[in-house]
Amino acid sequence: AEPINVYARDVIDAMKLTPLSTSLGYDHAPERTRFVTWSPVSEKVDLVLYPDTQGSAPTRVIPLERGDDGLWQADVEGDLHG
């Protein structure tokens, strides 16, 4: 089946769902890499890790945990920068 676009009108405009004090993306340190994204209308968010950029199969799929204000987060052991 072809993917379709779904627009949740007036959902992401709510101030309570605006992550004003959070940095999105990733933050790395030698002991762990933290991934944070914002998706207030999602029921599930997964982080998919690949060994390279050449179209290989994913090596890990990590479910992110839902937090406040539509934020999702996962900590992965080790420094995954690069």
Side-chain angles (χ1 to χ4, degrees):
E2 288 292 316
I4 61 171
N5 292 327
V6 176
Y7 299 98
R9 298 186 191 278
D10 299 324
V11 172
I12 60 174
D13 295 332
M15 281 304 292
K16 69 177 186 164
L17 296 176
T18 304
L20 298 175
S21 63
T22 302
S23 294
L24 302 177
Y26 75 97
D27 177 50
H28 63 97
E31 63 278 354
R32 64 109 185 106
T33 302
R34 174 170 290 155
F35 294 88
V36 180
T37 191
W38 181 69
S39 185
V41 297
S42 294
E43 293 181 9
K44 179 181 178 184
V45 176
D46 289 333
L47 170 66
V48 182
L49 300 176
Y50 293 86
D52 55 49
T53 60
Q54 306 305 314
S56 302
T59 55
R60 293 176 69 185
V61 177
I62 301 162
L64 276 69
E65 294 182 22
R66 181 180 219 139
D68 296 332
D69 301 327
L71 292 170
W72 294 79
Q73 175 177 307
D75 286 340
V76 180
E77 187 175 326
D79 187 346
L80 300 183
H81 180 70

